[in-house]
Amino acid sequence: MAKAKDNSTIQANKKAAFQECPVTYVMEKIGGYWKPIILFQLLSGSKRYSDLRKSIPAITEKMLIQHLKQLEADDLVLREAKQVVPPHVTYSLTKAGQGLKPVLYAMAVWAVDDSKENAATFRRNLKNFPGVPNTP
Amino acid sequence: MAKAKDNSTIQANKKAAFQECPVTYVMEKIGGYWKPIILFQLLSGSKRYSDLRKSIPAITEKMLIQHLKQLEADDLVLREAKQVVPPHVTYSLTKAGQGLKPVLYAMAVWAVDDSKENAATFRRNLKNFPGVPNTP
DNA sequence: ATAGATACATACTTTAGGGTAAGTACTTGT
DNA sequence: ACAAGTACTTACCCTAAAGTATGTATCTAT
């Protein structure tokens, strides 16, 4: 993981929010660009490291293991390695990880609703999203 | 808002995830240290700017309006200003904002569950959290 | 012999977001 | 005359997270 300075306001705030706000607690565990996507992939069953890489082509290996390690440390995914050579490692959701299903589902429902209810806004957002050509 | 380079991988990935992953869509809207806390404050009813400041003492004014503006742009909160002088501005949740209630609730439920189920891990996390004295 | 597949690791750079500090405009109370 | 309260704004700095690039060990197939 990335090193973290012990005495910075940002860390203090993070800690406070982490302790007091359950939503932040969840964010810390499933936040970031890749974690939700990885978790989503694992919702459909256990996968090998290389399978994950293939099903998420845009992710770099660094990001992939980094987040897998983090998810493992947070007891959301389980790593199982067969002691063979060519290595064979599978990742799956733990019980706690499975428990996130309703949370992810609630989020997905809201997202679809929200992007439908104001489809115009949604499209505008996408248009104004940095790095998107205006009329492709 | 903070500037964002138009041609960066991070923005491209963000956009892709934003488009494809509903969870990321939600994260973009309620993620960050402060947004959940602000939203939580507004769940209990509309509040004045100064009230929000008082109920979230640790937040700076910059962060507060910055996120309020963002939330307003995302149509999650509604800003209402009385044209008087001393200004009088109230913020409340829009319908879309209210719609987040089940999402936030699901997250809170999971968080409590998770931090109970492995209370030891939770405490260890807190202990190892950067900036926390080992035995206060 | 060498290329490819497996599952990582590690050094180094960039960027988005969060933080600090100070200022604005206008009015009321003392 | 001046402090205090209202709701912001703006310029500048710092750090954590994301990205780039390359390396490692072992075996199999060609």
Side-chain angles (χ1 to χ4, degrees), chain A residues 9 13 48 50 61 65 79 87 89 91:
Chain A
T9 309
N13 283 342
R48 290 188 66 174
S50 51
E61 301 214 52
I65 21 116
R79 193 190 99 111
V89 180
Y91 291 91

Side-chain angles (χ1 to χ4, degrees), chain B residues 89-105:
Chain B
V89 180
T90 57
Y91 290 92
S92 55
L93 292 179
T94 62
K95 207 183 163 197
Q98 306 268 5
L100 281 170
K101 210 165 184 172
V103 176
L104 298 174
Y105 186 72

Side-chain angles (χ1 to χ4, degrees), chain B residues 65-92:
Chain B
I65 22 115
Q66 184 174 306
H67 287 126
L68 282 171
K69 297 281 172 198
Q70 185 62 56
L71 289 167
E72 195 194 352
D74 286 341
D75 193 39
L76 296 183
V77 314
L78 179 69
R79 194 191 99 111
E80 286 170 298
K82 286 180 190 159
Q83 282 304 26
V84 294
V85 82
H88 185 105
V89 180
T90 57
Y91 290 92
S92 55

Side-chain angles (χ1 to χ4, degrees), chain A residues 34-78:
Chain A
W34 300 112
K35 276 190 197 166
I37 297 172
I38 296 172
L39 288 170
F40 183 76
Q41 290 296 325
L42 292 177
L43 276 179
S44 50
S46 72
K47 293 227 168 70
R48 290 188 66 174
Y49 176 82
S50 51
D51 290 334
L52 286 170
R53 239 180 37 216
K54 278 165 208 158
S55 48
I56 315 174
I59 201 173
T60 63
E61 301 214 52
K62 186 200 170 196
M63 285 293 108
L64 185 52
I65 21 116
Q66 183 174 305
H67 286 127
L68 282 172
K69 295 283 172 197
Q70 185 63 54
L71 290 166
E72 196 194 352
D74 286 340
D75 193 39
L76 296 183
V77 314
L78 179 70

